[in-house]
Amino acid sequence: VNVERVEIRGGGDRFGRPEAVREVILTPGDTLAVVGPTGSGKSELLSDIEQAAEGDTPSGRRVIVSGGGRRGAFGVVATLSQRTNFLMDVDTASFIDIHAACLGKAGEGTRDAVISLANTLCGEPIRAGDSLQGLSGGQTRALMIADIALVSDAPVILLDELENAGIDKHKALAALSANGKIIVTATHDPVLVLMSRRRLVMRSGGMSGLNEIDAAESLWRDRLRDFDTIFQDVRDALRDGRRLTAETLPCPI
Ligand SMILES: Nc1ncnc2c1ncn2[C@@H]1O[C@H](COP(=O)(O)OP(=O)(O)OP(=O)(O)O)[C@@H](O)[C@H]1O
Ligand SMILES: [Mg+2]
C-alpha cells in the first residue's frame, strides 16, 4: 500500500471561526510537527487525519488520503496515541504474532525483531512471555513504537507526544522514520519540533500558522540536540544510581 498525498482542508476552530490555514498538503518523506499549548487541538488534528475526516468531526475538517488508486485512511495510517494501553490480555509474543498475522507478516523473526527494537528504547527489557497488561507505561510505549515501525509499517505515521514515558525519543523517531514515510508529530518537545521540516501552530482548536524550518533554526536544532544528549546522559546516570561529579559537569556548549 502506498500513499501519494494527504490533504488537510481547514474547517473551524473551537469557536466555529474558519481556521487561518486553509490547506496543508503532505507528500511522501514529509515531516510535520503539530505544536500549541495544552488543549489547543493537536490530538484532535491527528484524530482527523487518522479517520480521514469528512467534515464529520468537531473541527469540520476534511482529510483526503490518496494513493495507488485508493482513498481513505484505513490500513495506511498508524498512530501512537497520547494515552496508550493495550486492551488485549495476552503475552507479548502472542500479541506480536496476532498483529503480524493480521497483516500477513507472521514469523518468528518479526517477533524477535519487535521485542529487541522495543528493548533498545526502554530501560528494563520486555520478555516474550511478559503479559501485555503487566508492562510498565514506558515498556508499553516502546512496544507500540516497535510494532508501528516493524509490523504496521504504514506509510503515514501519527505520533502524539512521543516524548512521554521516559523512552529514548531520538532512537524512537529514528526507528519510525524510514524513507518516504509521512510523519506527523504532535509534541511539546522543542527538539522534536525542530526535527520536522514544517510545523503547524494550533490555537483555540484551529490551525493558525504554518512555519518551515530555516538555516538559523537548523542551527538551533543541532545545538539543542547536544543539550538533550547531556540531559539524557544525566537522566541515565541518576536513574542507574550513579553520582554526578564536578569533573563530569559539562562545560557550556
Ligand atoms: N477545531 C475544533 N473544534 C472543536 N473542538 C475542538 C477543536 N479542536 C480541538 N477540539 C476539542 O478540544 C479539546 C482539546 O483538544 P486536544 O485534546 O486536541 O488538545 P491538545 O492540543 O492535544 O492538548 P494536549 O497538549 O493537552 O494533549 C478536545 O476535546 C477536542 O475535541
Ligand atoms: Mg493531545
Side-chain angles (χ1 to χ4, degrees):
V1 280
N2 66 335
V3 161
E4 280 146 27
R5 239 165 117 80
V6 175
E7 287 176 51
I8 304 166
R9 305 241 175 95
D13 69 7
R14 188 192 312 293
F15 306 108
R17 298 173 300 208
E19 298 180 275
V21 176
R22 300 310 303 164
E23 188 177 65
V24 181
I25 294 177
L26 301 165
T27 53
D30 248 345
T31 50
L32 179 73
V34 183
V35 302
T38 300
S40 60
K42 299 181 296 296
S43 296
E44 172 69 30
L45 179 80
L46 294 194
S47 140
D48 287 347
I49 299 172
E50 182 177 34
Q51 54 190 292
E54 299 185 29
D56 51 353
T57 64
S59 68
R61 291 181 192 114
R62 289 177 185 280
V63 178
I64 299 143
V65 180
S66 55
R70 61 200 291 288
R71 267 168 87 124
F74 187 74
V76 294
V77 177
T79 306
L80 177 73
S81 66
Q82 191 169 10
R83 265 163 288 191
T84 39
N85 40 48
F86 287 108
L87 299 173
M88 286 170 89
D89 189 13
V90 293
D91 63 50
T92 301
S94 310
F95 159 72
I96 300 167
D97 291 352
I98 294 166
H99 192 202
C102 290
L103 298 171
K105 289 183 197 163
E108 219 159 278
T110 307
R111 183 202 291 179
D112 296 343
V114 172
I115 294 175
S116 40
L117 177 58
N119 285 339
T120 65
L121 306 175
C122 62
E124 302 260 328
I126 301 167
R127 286 153 309 181
D130 288 347
S131 118
L132 285 186
Q133 302 297 329
L135 300 180
S136 74
Q139 287 175 320
T140 302
R141 266 176 108 68
L143 181 61
M144 287 179 168
I145 289 165
D147 179 71
I148 291 174
L150 300 177
V151 182
S152 306
D153 193 24
V156 181
I157 297 186
L158 310 178
L159 304 171
D160 206 345
E161 303 201 7
L162 179 67
E163 68 269 26
N164 278 354
I167 57 151
D168 186 324
K169 60 191 185 227
H170 299 294
K171 276 193 205 155
L173 196 61
L176 293 166
S177 328
N179 270 344
K181 288 197 193 245
I182 294 173
I183 300 189
V184 183
T185 317
T187 181
H188 294 282
D189 183 285
V191 181
L192 287 180
V193 171
L194 293 172
M195 284 169 77
S196 292
R197 183 173 74 83
R198 289 183 294 173
R199 60 185 179 271
L200 190 56
V201 183
M202 306 300 296
R203 186 172 301 156
S204 304
M207 304 184 284
S208 71
L210 185 62
N211 296 327
E212 186 164 344
I213 192 165
D214 60 13
E217 287 178 348
S218 301
L219 292 175
W220 271 93
R221 178 199 57 213
D222 296 344
R223 183 63 58 92
L224 288 172
R225 228 184 338 215
D226 292 342
F227 277 118
D228 228 42
T229 308
I230 296 174
F231 267 87
Q232 185 68 43
D233 290 348
V234 170
R235 186 181 299 123
D236 287 346
L238 294 176
R239 65 184 178 190
D240 286 350
R242 280 180 275 138
R243 308 289 310 238
L244 306 178
T245 66
E247 288 70 45
T248 56
L249 192 65
C251 51
I253 301 177

